[in-house]
């Protein structure tokens, strides 16, 4: 029985936060399973709507929109054909999988920028040996057409660095010459001043954490949680041979091509993906409001106060009035929610 006179420690509060986190994770797991059929129905319906996903991206939340530049917008508006977000560990491992791990898949029609028809990025939720937790990823190789790399070489550089480190058997900066080249490039270019597609080179906001390190750290963390629940004193994890120093842990921030890569992934999964139909409807409404006929009839509309709703069914059947866009330029300015 706990001593009611004992002071509450920071560790006690952290344990309560851990319990809240476990509850949130379990709710996420159950929601994903419960919504599978509905997402499948949505996928079948929106496949019949031309430009559905490009219109959704036009209304993307600020966490995503701020990284979509004008040249990205043109490519997305003309060639994005599909988006899919899955919590792939639940698909592979069932209840044992972590629902915070994500896989984001973008599909494109043939275009003059890259030869890929699918760009897919996987994010693993992992725990480091010092108890840091977050999403890590591996750079995706984007096959840019000659002279068309919109990331100023960042995706190619991130991919080359990751491959070189893997071959060398270490993620240490001292083992590969590609690190210094990447560090110099990142001094001038990043996800904020190049392209949305720089995101595909993201690795971690801190450093890469391997599956093995995460498995070991998670097992140790669960043991400490159980000990706290038994009322036992739990010490801070001791430094081990497998644990990197603080200096080494921060090294990779100097070669990370997209500082907000994790936040962008979470925004796709928690905002854009579940709210896709709402964002699409907003895009349609913005298109109607920018129509010259709408502006001319604005005074008449004020008299009766009735707004004509967007008919999604007519759009599915191909007879509805969609948002017109100039194929020679980026879409109109996105509206903030």
């Amino acid at each position: 029985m706990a001593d009611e006179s004992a002071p509450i420690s920071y560790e006690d509060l952290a344990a309560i936060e851990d319990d809240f986190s476990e509850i949130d994770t379990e709710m996420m797991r159950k929601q994903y399973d419960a919504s599978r059929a509905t997402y499948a129905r949505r996928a079948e319906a929106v496949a019949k709507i031309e430009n559905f996903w490009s219109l959704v991206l036009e209304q993307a939340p600020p966490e995503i929109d701020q990284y979509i530049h004008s040249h990205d917008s043109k490519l997305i508006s003309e060639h994005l054909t599909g988006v899919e977000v899955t919590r792939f560990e639940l698909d592979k491992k069932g209840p044992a999988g972590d629902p915070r791990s994500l896989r984001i898949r973008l599909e494109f029609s043939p275009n003059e920028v890259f030869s890929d028809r699918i760009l897919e990025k996987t994010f693993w939720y992992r725990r480091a040996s010092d108890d840091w937790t977050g999403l890590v990823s591996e750079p995706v190789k984007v096959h840019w057409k000659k002279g068309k790399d919109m990331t100023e070489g960042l995706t190619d550089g991130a991919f080359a660095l990751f491959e070189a480190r893997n071959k060398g058997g270490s993620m240490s900066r001292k083992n590969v010459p590609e690190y210094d080249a990447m560090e110099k490039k990142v001094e001038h270019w990043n996800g904020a001043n190049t392209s949305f597609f720089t995101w595909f080179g993201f690795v971690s906001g801190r450093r890469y954490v391997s599956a093995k390190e995460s498995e070991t750290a998670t097992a140790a963390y669960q043991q400490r949680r159980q000990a706290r629940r038994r009322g036992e004193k739990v010490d801070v994890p001791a430094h081990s041979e497998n644990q990197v120093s603080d200096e080494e842990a921060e090294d990779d921030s100097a070669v990370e091509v997209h500082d907000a890569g994790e936040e962008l992934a979470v925004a796709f999964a928690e905002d854009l993906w579940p709210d896709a139909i709402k964002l699409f409807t907003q895009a349609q409404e913005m298109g109607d409001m920018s129509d010259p006929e709408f502006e001319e009839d604005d005074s008449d509309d004020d008299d009766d106060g009735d707004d004509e709703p967007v008919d999604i069914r007519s759009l599915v059947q191909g007879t509805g009035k969609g948002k017109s866009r100039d194929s020679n330029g980026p879409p109109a300015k996105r509206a903030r929610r």
Side-chain angles (χ1 to χ4, degrees):
M1 184 175 179
D3 184 359
E4 294 183 359
S5 64
I8 298 297
S9 67
Y10 176 81
E11 190 172 69
D12 294 329
L13 297 177
I16 295 172
E17 282 300 303
D18 285 344
D19 288 342
F20 277 125
S21 179
E22 288 295 318
I23 293 170
D24 290 341
T25 302
E26 184 60 27
M27 291 175 63
M28 190 183 300
R29 184 178 287 113
K30 291 180 177 179
Q31 182 182 35
Y32 184 75
D33 187 59
S35 62
R36 288 177 191 268
T38 303
Y39 276 118
R41 284 172 50 214
R42 187 184 75 178
E44 184 178 345
V46 304
K48 302 173 184 177
I49 305 176
E50 186 179 4
N51 299 325
F52 177 86
W53 286 108
S54 60
L55 288 171
V56 169
L57 262 291
E58 283 189 20
Q59 298 299 316
E63 293 82 1
I64 299 172
D65 178 71
Q66 64 181 311
Y67 296 107
I68 300 179
H69 301 262
S70 59
H71 48 280
D72 300 320
S73 186
K74 185 176 188 301
L75 176 64
I76 290 170
S77 67
E78 296 179 359
H79 297 287
L80 181 67
T81 60
V83 175
E84 182 181 39
V85 178
T86 57
R87 300 186 184 273
F88 67 96
E89 285 198 18
L90 297 183
D91 297 332
K92 291 174 58 178
K93 303 177 182 179
D98 195 314
R100 291 166 290 193
S101 293
L102 302 167
R103 179 167 290 145
I104 300 172
R105 173 189 175 105
L106 305 184
E107 300 176 8
F108 296 88
S109 60
N111 61 81
E112 62 180 15
V113 180
F114 46 70
S115 59
D116 305 273
R117 297 294 297 275
I118 294 172
L119 291 177
E120 185 174 85
K121 189 145 181 74
T122 301
F123 299 83
W124 292 271
Y125 183 86
R126 287 178 177 167
R127 181 178 296 274
S129 54
D130 61 357
D131 259 6
W132 173 89
T133 58
L135 295 179
V136 300
S137 184
E138 297 180 3
V140 174
K141 176 65 175 177
V142 180
H143 298 87
W144 300 103
K145 293 184 178 180
K146 187 175 180 180
K148 298 294 186 178
D149 186 349
M150 298 191 296
T151 72
E152 302 293 340
L154 289 178
T155 53
D156 284 347
F159 186 82
L161 174 58
F162 198 87
E163 288 288 290
R165 284 175 155 180
N166 271 342
K167 290 178 182 177
S170 172
M171 286 289 163
S172 171
R173 63 174 292 181
K174 299 177 181 179
N175 287 13
V176 292
E178 287 84 353
Y179 185 96
D180 290 334
M182 198 63 195
E183 187 175 29
K184 291 177 181 178
K185 189 177 289 291
V186 171
E187 287 179 359
H188 305 286
W189 302 108
N190 54 62
N193 65 10
T194 54
S195 166
F196 163 78
F197 294 93
T198 299
W199 179 52
F200 287 91
F202 169 78
V203 175
S204 171
R206 189 168 176 266
R207 67 173 177 85
Y208 184 74
V209 178
S210 68
K212 182 178 180 180
E213 178 185 349
S214 182
E215 183 179 350
T216 301
T218 299
Y221 163 74
Q222 293 296 348
Q223 289 177 356
R224 292 193 299 275
R225 285 195 67 205
Q226 293 302 321
R228 281 196 294 263
R229 287 177 174 177
R230 294 193 297 269
E232 300 173 9
K233 180 176 175 57
V234 178
D235 296 325
V236 176
H239 182 83
S240 67
E241 294 182 359
N242 294 327
Q243 186 174 357
V244 297
S245 67
D246 290 340
E247 181 179 355
E248 291 172 324
E250 297 301 324
D251 273 349
D252 282 356
S253 63
V255 293
E256 176 51 56
V257 301
H258 204 303
D259 292 337
E262 178 171 351
E263 291 81 357
L264 198 53
V266 172
F268 257 92
E270 297 185 358
D271 297 323
L272 185 137
W273 177 246
D275 291 342
I277 291 178
K278 181 189 300 182
L279 295 171
F280 171 76
T281 303
Q282 289 178 0
Q284 294 295 315
E285 292 171 347
M286 290 299 296
D288 288 341
M289 290 177 66
S290 63
D291 192 304
E293 294 180 3
F294 178 89
E295 296 177 1
E296 292 174 4
D297 296 340
D298 186 53
S299 60
D300 295 335
D301 291 343
D302 289 341
D303 293 336
D304 54 38
D306 293 329
D307 294 328
E308 183 179 352
V310 176
D311 188 351
I312 298 296
R313 287 175 295 181
S314 67
L315 288 165
V316 172
Q317 296 166 358
T319 60
K321 181 179 179 181
K323 181 180 179 181
S324 61
R325 291 171 302 177
D326 181 358
S327 61
N328 295 319
K333 178 75 174 177
R334 299 177 187 84
R336 298 296 187 188
R337 289 187 298 169

